[in-house]
Short mmCIF file of all heavy atoms in Angstrom, two decimals:
data_model
loop_
_atom_site.label_atom_id
_atom_site.label_comp_id
_atom_site.label_asym_id
_atom_site.label_seq_id
_atom_site.Cartn_x
_atom_site.Cartn_y
_atom_site.Cartn_z
N ASP Q 1 18.23 -37.09 -12.70
CA ASP Q 1 18.14 -38.51 -13.17
C ASP Q 1 18.34 -39.43 -11.98
O ASP Q 1 18.41 -40.62 -12.19
CB ASP Q 1 19.19 -38.75 -14.23
CG ASP Q 1 20.65 -38.70 -13.72
OD1 ASP Q 1 20.85 -38.36 -12.55
OD2 ASP Q 1 21.56 -39.04 -14.57
N TYR Q 2 18.42 -38.92 -10.77
CA TYR Q 2 18.58 -39.64 -9.56
C TYR Q 2 19.84 -40.45 -9.39
O TYR Q 2 20.09 -41.14 -8.41
CB TYR Q 2 17.36 -40.59 -9.29
CG TYR Q 2 16.08 -39.78 -9.16
CD1 TYR Q 2 15.17 -39.67 -10.21
CD2 TYR Q 2 15.78 -39.13 -7.95
CE1 TYR Q 2 14.04 -38.95 -10.10
CE2 TYR Q 2 14.60 -38.44 -7.81
CZ TYR Q 2 13.73 -38.32 -8.89
OH TYR Q 2 12.58 -37.61 -8.75
N ASN Q 3 20.71 -40.39 -10.40
CA ASN Q 3 21.98 -41.11 -10.36
C ASN Q 3 23.21 -40.19 -10.47
O ASN Q 3 24.16 -40.29 -9.73
CB ASN Q 3 22.02 -42.17 -11.49
CG ASN Q 3 21.07 -43.25 -11.27
OD1 ASN Q 3 21.00 -43.82 -10.19
ND2 ASN Q 3 20.31 -43.59 -12.31
N LEU Q 4 23.12 -39.24 -11.44
CA LEU Q 4 24.28 -38.46 -11.76
C LEU Q 4 24.21 -36.99 -11.35
O LEU Q 4 25.17 -36.35 -10.97
CB LEU Q 4 24.65 -38.59 -13.24
CG LEU Q 4 25.90 -38.05 -13.74
CD1 LEU Q 4 27.12 -38.66 -13.02
CD2 LEU Q 4 26.06 -38.24 -15.25
N TYR Q 5 23.01 -36.44 -11.52
CA TYR Q 5 22.86 -35.00 -11.33
C TYR Q 5 21.49 -34.62 -10.77
O TYR Q 5 20.57 -35.34 -10.85
CB TYR Q 5 23.15 -34.25 -12.64
CG TYR Q 5 21.95 -34.23 -13.47
CD1 TYR Q 5 21.11 -33.11 -13.58
CD2 TYR Q 5 21.63 -35.33 -14.24
CE1 TYR Q 5 19.96 -33.10 -14.41
CE2 TYR Q 5 20.53 -35.33 -15.04
CZ TYR Q 5 19.70 -34.17 -15.15
OH TYR Q 5 18.58 -34.25 -15.92
N ALA Q 6 21.46 -33.38 -10.21
CA ALA Q 6 20.21 -32.79 -9.79
C ALA Q 6 20.33 -31.28 -9.99
O ALA Q 6 21.38 -30.65 -9.76
CB ALA Q 6 19.91 -33.07 -8.36
N ALA Q 7 19.27 -30.65 -10.49
CA ALA Q 7 19.22 -29.19 -10.66
C ALA Q 7 18.11 -28.62 -9.81
O ALA Q 7 17.01 -29.22 -9.73
CB ALA Q 7 18.95 -28.84 -12.12
N PHE Q 8 18.42 -27.56 -9.04
CA PHE Q 8 17.43 -26.96 -8.14
C PHE Q 8 17.26 -25.49 -8.52
O PHE Q 8 18.20 -24.83 -8.94
CB PHE Q 8 17.99 -27.02 -6.70
CG PHE Q 8 18.02 -28.43 -6.13
CD1 PHE Q 8 19.19 -29.19 -6.24
CD2 PHE Q 8 16.95 -28.91 -5.42
CE1 PHE Q 8 19.20 -30.47 -5.71
CE2 PHE Q 8 16.98 -30.18 -4.87
CZ PHE Q 8 18.11 -31.00 -5.04
N HIS Q 9 16.07 -25.02 -8.27
CA HIS Q 9 15.75 -23.57 -8.32
C HIS Q 9 15.43 -23.11 -6.89
O HIS Q 9 14.64 -23.75 -6.18
CB HIS Q 9 14.51 -23.36 -9.21
CG HIS Q 9 14.14 -21.90 -9.28
ND1 HIS Q 9 13.00 -21.46 -8.58
CD2 HIS Q 9 14.65 -20.84 -9.87
CE1 HIS Q 9 12.90 -20.14 -8.77
NE2 HIS Q 9 13.88 -19.74 -9.62
N LEU Q 10 16.13 -22.06 -6.51
CA LEU Q 10 15.92 -21.51 -5.14
C LEU Q 10 15.36 -20.09 -5.27
O LEU Q 10 15.88 -19.28 -6.07
CB LEU Q 10 17.26 -21.40 -4.41
CG LEU Q 10 17.35 -20.57 -3.14
CD1 LEU Q 10 16.69 -21.23 -1.99
CD2 LEU Q 10 18.81 -20.33 -2.81
N HIS Q 11 14.31 -19.83 -4.56
CA HIS Q 11 13.75 -18.45 -4.51
C HIS Q 11 14.08 -18.01 -3.08
O HIS Q 11 13.53 -18.57 -2.12
CB HIS Q 11 12.27 -18.45 -4.76
CG HIS Q 11 11.72 -17.08 -4.70
ND1 HIS Q 11 10.96 -16.66 -3.64
CD2 HIS Q 11 11.75 -16.04 -5.57
CE1 HIS Q 11 10.58 -15.43 -3.85
NE2 HIS Q 11 11.04 -15.06 -5.03
N SER Q 12 14.94 -17.02 -2.93
CA SER Q 12 15.39 -16.55 -1.60
C SER Q 12 14.92 -15.13 -1.35
O SER Q 12 14.97 -14.26 -2.24
CB SER Q 12 16.94 -16.58 -1.57
OG SER Q 12 17.40 -16.03 -0.39
N VAL Q 13 14.39 -14.92 -0.16
CA VAL Q 13 14.02 -13.59 0.27
C VAL Q 13 14.79 -13.22 1.52
O VAL Q 13 14.68 -13.93 2.54
CB VAL Q 13 12.49 -13.44 0.54
CG1 VAL Q 13 12.12 -12.05 0.95
CG2 VAL Q 13 11.71 -13.84 -0.71
N ARG Q 14 15.60 -12.24 1.42
CA ARG Q 14 16.42 -11.76 2.57
C ARG Q 14 16.32 -10.22 2.63
O ARG Q 14 16.55 -9.55 1.67
CB ARG Q 14 17.84 -12.20 2.41
CG ARG Q 14 18.73 -11.78 3.57
CD ARG Q 14 20.08 -12.36 3.45
NE ARG Q 14 20.88 -12.08 4.71
CZ ARG Q 14 22.13 -12.11 4.70
NH1 ARG Q 14 22.85 -12.41 3.66
NH2 ARG Q 14 22.74 -11.84 5.87
N ASN Q 15 15.94 -9.77 3.82
CA ASN Q 15 15.75 -8.34 3.99
C ASN Q 15 14.82 -7.74 2.93
O ASN Q 15 15.13 -6.72 2.36
CB ASN Q 15 17.11 -7.64 3.98
CG ASN Q 15 18.00 -8.05 5.14
OD1 ASN Q 15 17.54 -8.45 6.17
ND2 ASN Q 15 19.26 -8.09 4.86
N ARG Q 16 13.78 -8.42 2.65
CA ARG Q 16 12.74 -8.02 1.65
C ARG Q 16 13.29 -7.97 0.22
O ARG Q 16 12.62 -7.40 -0.66
CB ARG Q 16 12.12 -6.72 2.04
CG ARG Q 16 11.26 -6.88 3.31
CD ARG Q 16 10.59 -5.59 3.65
NE ARG Q 16 11.63 -4.58 3.98
CZ ARG Q 16 11.49 -3.63 4.79
NH1 ARG Q 16 10.30 -3.36 5.34
NH2 ARG Q 16 12.43 -2.78 5.09
N THR Q 17 14.46 -8.51 -0.08
CA THR Q 17 15.06 -8.56 -1.36
C THR Q 17 15.01 -10.00 -1.89
O THR Q 17 15.40 -10.91 -1.20
CB THR Q 17 16.50 -8.09 -1.37
OG1 THR Q 17 16.53 -6.76 -0.87
CG2 THR Q 17 17.09 -8.16 -2.76
N GLN Q 18 14.45 -10.15 -3.09
CA GLN Q 18 14.30 -11.49 -3.69
C GLN Q 18 15.44 -11.73 -4.65
O GLN Q 18 15.88 -10.93 -5.38
CB GLN Q 18 12.93 -11.59 -4.52
CG GLN Q 18 11.73 -11.32 -3.62
CD GLN Q 18 10.46 -11.48 -4.41
OE1 GLN Q 18 10.41 -12.32 -5.32
NE2 GLN Q 18 9.47 -10.67 -4.06
N THR Q 19 15.93 -13.02 -4.56
CA THR Q 19 16.92 -13.53 -5.44
C THR Q 19 16.57 -14.89 -5.95
O THR Q 19 16.08 -15.73 -5.22
CB THR Q 19 18.30 -13.62 -4.71
OG1 THR Q 19 18.64 -12.39 -4.13
CG2 THR Q 19 19.42 -14.08 -5.66
N ARG Q 20 16.72 -15.13 -7.29
CA ARG Q 20 16.52 -16.40 -7.85
C ARG Q 20 17.88 -17.05 -8.09
O ARG Q 20 18.78 -16.40 -8.59
CB ARG Q 20 15.78 -16.27 -9.21
CG ARG Q 20 14.36 -15.81 -9.11
CD ARG Q 20 13.88 -15.64 -10.53
NE ARG Q 20 14.95 -15.04 -11.28
CZ ARG Q 20 14.89 -13.98 -11.97
NH1 ARG Q 20 13.82 -13.34 -12.22
NH2 ARG Q 20 15.94 -13.47 -12.63
N VAL Q 21 18.00 -18.32 -7.70
CA VAL Q 21 19.24 -19.04 -7.91
C VAL Q 21 18.93 -20.40 -8.54
O VAL Q 21 17.96 -21.05 -8.16
CB VAL Q 21 19.90 -19.27 -6.49
CG1 VAL Q 21 21.21 -20.11 -6.66
CG2 VAL Q 21 20.15 -17.97 -5.77
N MET Q 22 19.81 -20.77 -9.46
CA MET Q 22 19.78 -22.11 -10.03
C MET Q 22 21.06 -22.73 -9.66
O MET Q 22 22.14 -22.14 -9.59
CB MET Q 22 19.68 -22.07 -11.57
CG MET Q 22 18.38 -21.52 -12.07
SD MET Q 22 16.93 -22.53 -11.73
CE MET Q 22 17.34 -24.08 -12.58
N ALA Q 23 20.94 -24.07 -9.32
CA ALA Q 23 22.19 -24.82 -8.97
C ALA Q 23 22.11 -26.17 -9.59
O ALA Q 23 21.13 -26.83 -9.66
CB ALA Q 23 22.27 -24.96 -7.44
N LEU Q 24 23.31 -26.60 -10.12
CA LEU Q 24 23.45 -27.90 -10.69
C LEU Q 24 24.46 -28.66 -9.84
O LEU Q 24 25.59 -28.20 -9.69
CB LEU Q 24 24.00 -27.82 -12.11
CG LEU Q 24 24.31 -29.06 -12.86
CD1 LEU Q 24 23.14 -29.92 -13.03
CD2 LEU Q 24 25.01 -28.77 -14.14
#
């Protein structure tokens, strides 16, 4: 909402292993 919160989705690849992360 550009004032109070932001939610992000992260797609991470480390050592050929994929991880999905959500952050608020």
Side-chain angles (χ1 to χ4, degrees):
D1 68 355
Y2 297 100
N3 292 311
L4 189 59
Y5 79 100
F8 292 90
H9 176 255
L10 165 73
H11 180 256
S12 176
V13 179
R14 183 174 186 199
N15 300 328
R16 293 182 294 209
T17 300
Q18 298 183 36
T19 304
R20 292 173 323 230
V21 178
M22 292 295 299
L24 174 66

